[in-house]
Amino acid sequence: MTSTNHPAAPAARTVRRGLAPVPFLAPGMIYLILFMALPVGLLAFYTFFKRGRFGGIVFEFTLDNWVKLFEPLYVGVILQSIVLAGIVTLLALLIGYPMAYAIAGLSPKWRTVALVAVVLPFWTNFLIRTYAWILLLNNAGWVNQWLQGLGITDAPISMLYTPQAIVVGLLYMYLPLMVLPLYASLQQLDPSLREAATNLGATPWRAFRTVTLPLSIPGALTGCIFVFVPAMSNFVIPELIGGGKTIMVGNLVRDQFFEARDWPFGATLALLLTILLVIVIVVQTAVSRRLTEGPRRG
């Protein structure tokens, strides 16, 4: 009996097997191409041209936009944005970790109530929450009224339109983004690991330091990314709560597009911000993978 198998059949089956996931991946790939790859590619394209006299773009190749980034003014704004976003992220971690740890230790009923309380601010418009902080922090606001009522100060303290007010506003807005991944990480920990440490003679603090804390670091890193990325690029809070006195990268990008009408340099700043954030995310992913795979290899 003659075999009917063609020599190319295995190769064809391999190709068909390789193309099988395409229908499932296509929507996601199309979304990424349309809303991420194309806009970022357009930004990168604009960075190599000159601004028009009345805005727009003159398609004459230049590297001036990238050279301009290294001027002290713009380097200072970028470093200031990194410092402010870093302070907000650190404070969110210091406040959010105990909150997430406490929520993870609650009974299921109260755990749900606590989680709803954490996400409740997200149900209110971002601008309304920002204006609420303006009412709280101004000289005649509740905070100054409380301080004077308690006899802590005799005169109102100028809190609004300062870098500290920006930190408070960003911290309030993004604290839930730190608490939720930390809670998810702590909730997934196997209680038997802590029980084993305790049975072997570890004190509660040592069991936390040697078991709970290392295993929750991936969740903490995820929370840090969730807070740092939007804090770095936010321009509403520095404008409203900071009074426009403290310039961050987000404000600078907006001003280049809408006030200076220098689209190529605005695109350069936006692309630089995107590159910085991608680097941060790649580092976070590498550290999390190393922490996760390290114990398995051991």
Side-chain angles (χ1 to χ4, degrees):
M1 184 175 178
T2 304
S3 175
T4 57
N5 289 338
H6 193 275
R13 282 198 296 271
T14 303
V15 171
R16 285 197 297 271
R17 197 177 297 119
L19 294 176
V22 169
F24 302 99
L25 296 175
M29 295 300 295
I30 292 172
Y31 180 88
L32 289 176
I33 291 171
L34 288 179
F35 297 104
M36 194 185 76
L38 283 180
V40 172
L42 193 61
L43 280 178
F45 180 70
Y46 282 175
T47 61
F48 296 106
F49 299 103
K50 297 179 180 178
R51 63 170 293 192
R53 186 175 179 182
F54 303 104
I57 296 174
V58 176
F59 291 97
E60 296 179 11
F61 182 81
T62 180
L63 293 175
D64 289 349
N65 297 310
W66 290 98
V67 175
K68 195 175 177 181
L69 278 180
F70 295 96
E71 292 182 5
L73 172 65
Y74 302 115
V75 172
V77 171
I78 293 168
L79 291 179
Q80 181 172 257
S81 303
I82 293 173
V83 169
L84 286 177
I87 292 173
V88 171
T89 305
L90 179 62
L91 291 175
L93 179 62
L94 294 176
I95 298 171
Y97 198 101
M99 286 178 63
Y101 189 79
I103 294 173
L106 293 174
S107 64
K109 173 186 173 183
W110 288 109
R111 195 182 303 153
T112 304
V113 174
L115 288 174
V116 170
V118 168
V119 299
L120 197 59
F122 281 114
W123 297 354
T124 309
N125 184 275
F126 185 90
L127 285 177
I128 293 175
R129 285 180 281 155
T130 303
Y131 279 113
W133 274 103
I134 294 176
L135 297 177
L136 288 172
L137 295 178
N138 66 45
N139 289 348
W142 287 2
V143 175
N144 269 311
Q145 289 180 19
W146 290 337
L147 292 176
Q148 294 179 72
L150 294 173
I152 298 175
T153 61
D154 296 328
I157 299 175
S158 182
M159 292 180 281
L160 200 59
Y161 307 142
T162 62
Q164 293 82 0
I166 295 175
V167 170
V168 171
L170 291 173
L171 179 62
Y172 168 74
M173 293 296 173
Y174 300 127
L175 182 60
L177 300 181
M178 176 66 77
V179 174
L180 294 178
L182 269 170
Y183 164 75
S185 178
L186 291 167
Q187 185 64 22
Q188 292 174 358
L189 293 184
D190 188 351
S192 63
L193 297 175
R194 279 172 290 189
E195 292 175 4
T198 304
N199 293 336
L200 291 173
T203 61
W205 165 245
R206 187 172 184 183
F208 170 79
R209 183 169 54 84
T210 57
V211 176
T212 305
L213 186 59
L215 294 176
S216 62
I217 287 179
L221 290 174
T222 303
C224 289
I225 293 296
F226 284 178
V227 174
F228 183 83
V229 170
M232 176 89 176
S233 56
N234 190 289
F235 63 90
V236 175
I237 290 176
E239 185 70 29
L240 297 180
I241 298 181
K245 297 178 180 177
T246 302
I247 304 297
M248 296 182 70
V249 177
N251 302 91
L252 202 55
V253 173
R254 182 209 55 188
D255 291 345
Q256 294 302 317
F257 276 101
F258 295 107
E259 294 185 8
R261 299 185 66 80
D262 191 347
W263 291 11
F265 187 56
T268 308
L269 286 167
L271 187 63
L272 175 69
L273 185 61
T274 304
I275 293 171
L276 288 176
L277 299 181
V278 168
I279 291 173
V280 171
I281 292 172
V282 169
V283 171
Q284 180 267 336
T285 304
V287 173
S288 295
R289 184 178 301 165
R290 186 166 184 176
L291 289 172
T292 305
E293 295 179 353
R296 294 176 184 171
R297 291 175 182 173

